[in-house]
Amino acid sequence: MTVSRVDRAWLNEAVRRIEADYNRSADTHLIRVDLPRYPGITLYLKDESSHPTGSLKHRLARSLFLYALCNEWIGPNTCVIEASSGSTAVSEAYFAKMLGLRFIAVVPASTAAPKLDAIRFHGGEIHMVDDPRTVYDVSHRLAAETGGHFVDQFTYAERATDWRGNNNIAESIFAQMAHEEHPIPRWIVCGAGTGGTSATIGRFIRYQRYATRLCVADPEQSVFHRHFADRRVTELPEGCASRIEGIGRPRVEPSFLPSVIDRMIAVGDCASVGAMRALSDRLGRRVGGSTGTNLWACAALVEEMAAAGEQGSIVTLLCDGGDRYAATYFDDDWLAKCAILSAPATQRMAAFLA
């Protein structure tokens, strides 16, 4: 069998373009949120919405493309395919366009329309599936039909990023915290979609021997927190699904590493949306649903620290902006249709942030 090799000159130019794009971008901001009701405890938001494609997934997409290029899985004529609920596909479409490659996103039918528009804006194509569980099989089929490459973020997220600190999100957080009152966070809180971000942060904390603990906030209708509590649980029953896009999964993904996580907190959809809306009011701009999930977990940790008389800092991620969810999480009619009663959670979180 003859193996076709990728032209080295094309490969060098592809890597150069991606690295040049990174070099043109400043780091994302770290927003301090004072909590007057909790003296000595400060919350920080790592604002990943400021990436060129508007979300935390920009980092992942860049790493996945570099990983696939350096493995020679992607060449000048490769059709690139990804299974995604939206944000990763937006970012990968951006990098595919940069390299002049065809890109197909396999997305659940429930994906927010603005995310689909963003994929198309960057030149990507949409392949929609009614059952989110079929995205993997459909992606493999499309890769076979096109002779393309299925990026497979759920498998490769945890290994595509250099967790030891080559400009990853964990290194950035600790560098930006260096001059704060409590430079070593008591907790870092993130969600899990692929598990790549939690794997990177958890490994970096251990490699640098920090006292920081990692908490993963997970939707109630997700398998990850169940698997964390009992490794025998690997899949949810059919019909269980969270309304919070980008985090939580019905099955345990290969990139999810529970061993590097210190704690998980399950958060209901109503709480996530309520927290998202309260934080949007506090910041004066909209944030996405997964940020609300993170914030709800942060509030629980802050209250525990305060009850124990502890002081310190907590860092979490502002995963993406809320404009992508104008027709869903910020639409009262849509929430009512989905039986998401967010008002009590909004009030409670507003009081927390007051």
Side-chain angles (χ1 to χ4, degrees), residues 98-115:
M98 180 185 298
L99 303 182
L101 302 176
R102 183 186 179 193
F103 178 78
I104 303 174
V106 181
V107 303
S110 59
T111 302
K115 288 186 177 181

Side-chain angles (χ1 to χ4, degrees), residues 26 118 149 168 248 293 341:
H149 173 63
N168 68 39
T293 309
L341 181 63

Side-chain angles (χ1 to χ4, degrees), residues 99-144:
L99 303 182
L101 302 176
R102 183 186 179 193
F103 178 78
I104 303 174
V106 181
V107 303
S110 59
T111 302
K115 288 186 177 181
L116 303 180
D117 292 339
I119 293 169
R120 295 187 183 101
F121 174 80
H122 292 297
E125 303 170 30
I126 306 295
H127 188 101
M128 203 169 288
V129 298
D130 292 324
D131 184 355
R133 296 168 186 265
T134 66
V135 293
Y136 317 99
D137 291 339
V138 171
S139 296
H140 282 295
R141 175 175 61 79
L142 289 174

Side-chain angles (χ1 to χ4, degrees), residues 53-93:
T53 54
S55 82
L56 167 67
K57 299 300 186 179
H58 192 85
R59 294 180 188 269
L60 173 60
R62 180 172 59 229
S63 295
L64 288 168
F65 261 77
L66 289 172
Y67 189 74
L69 285 166
C70 293
N71 285 330
E72 294 198 5
W73 294 343
I74 292 177
N77 301 308
T78 303
C79 177
V80 180
I81 294 139
E82 182 62 288
S84 169
S85 63
S87 289
T88 301
V90 173
S91 300
E92 289 183 359

Side-chain angles (χ1 to χ4, degrees), residues 219 244 247 267-277 288-294 296 345:
I244 306 304
I247 57 173
V267 181
D269 291 351
C270 295
S272 292
V273 175
M276 171 207 74
R277 286 188 158 202
S290 57
T291 301
T293 309
N294 291 342
W296 193 267

